[in-house]
Amino acid sequence: MARRYGRRLLERFFAAVDGEGVELYQWLFYLIIAFDGAQNLFIAHAQPLTLRGSMGIVPFQWWCALEMAAPLLCLVGRVLQDTKWWQSANRLQITGDLTLAGSELSYVVATFQIEPVGRGGHGGYLGLAFTLSAGLLAVRDYRRLRERK
């Protein structure tokens, strides 16, 4: 039984890898971001070096909380997507995506405050890519919600 379940899970994984969708990659990024928020808040008990001096302790703690909450909102929304609560599920995903976009935008602003454009800032550009991607996922989910109504 476990072997059959494992094989089915592996088949689903490779179907997602071979597909043209973004869901697998969205979850990869989101889970890593949630882990980063938890790691910064509960294990490191400190800001990343790129944020020191640009974000106070309370905004930093809120930033970590948002990084943990946003993926969870999206995960719950995704799990409920194919149920009778699909409208609420889409709203949860939109909220999670927008929350993550805002969280990452605060990271971008803080990073470029420390490392201005032209003087590094690699993390800021990655954060900007995450911000825009999460924003576009929110737009996608909103359009899906409008189409299904």
Side-chain angles (χ1 to χ4, degrees):
M1 172 140 165
R3 184 177 229 153
R4 186 171 53 200
Y5 178 74
R7 182 173 290 139
R8 202 172 336 147
L9 190 61
L10 200 57
E11 287 172 1
R12 287 183 64 194
F13 171 75
F14 282 119
V17 168
D18 295 338
E20 295 296 322
V22 299
E23 190 171 14
L24 174 66
Y25 308 103
Q26 176 186 3
W27 290 113
L28 178 66
F29 282 109
Y30 278 21
L31 290 176
I32 290 172
I33 288 170
F35 175 76
D36 177 52
Q39 183 273 145
N40 283 328
L41 195 58
F42 300 117
I43 299 171
H45 300 289
Q47 298 175 348
L49 292 175
T50 54
L51 295 181
R52 290 190 184 151
S54 66
M55 191 183 283
I57 190 66
V58 173
F60 168 72
Q61 290 171 340
W62 274 103
W63 174 67
C64 291
L66 291 176
E67 280 198 326
M68 292 182 293
L72 293 176
L73 288 170
C74 289
L75 177 62
V76 170
R78 181 62 191 115
V79 168
L80 297 175
Q81 188 68 42
D82 297 324
T83 66
K84 65 182 180 182
W85 299 294
W86 63 270
Q87 287 180 315
S88 296
N90 267 13
R91 288 185 182 107
L92 281 172
Q93 286 186 283
I94 292 167
T95 302
D97 289 331
L98 291 176
T99 301
L100 185 65
S103 167
E104 289 302 310
L105 184 60
S106 68
Y107 175 81
V108 170
V109 170
T111 300
F112 284 135
Q113 193 175 15
I114 297 296
E115 299 175 341
V117 175
R119 294 189 54 215
H122 178 75
Y125 290 108
L126 291 175
L128 186 59
F130 290 151
T131 301
L132 295 174
S133 296
L136 290 173
L137 287 169
V139 169
R140 177 201 67 181
D141 293 337
Y142 176 75
R143 291 176 53 85
R144 282 184 183 170
L145 183 62
R146 288 191 57 198
E147 287 174 8
R148 280 185 74 177
K149 278 190 175 181

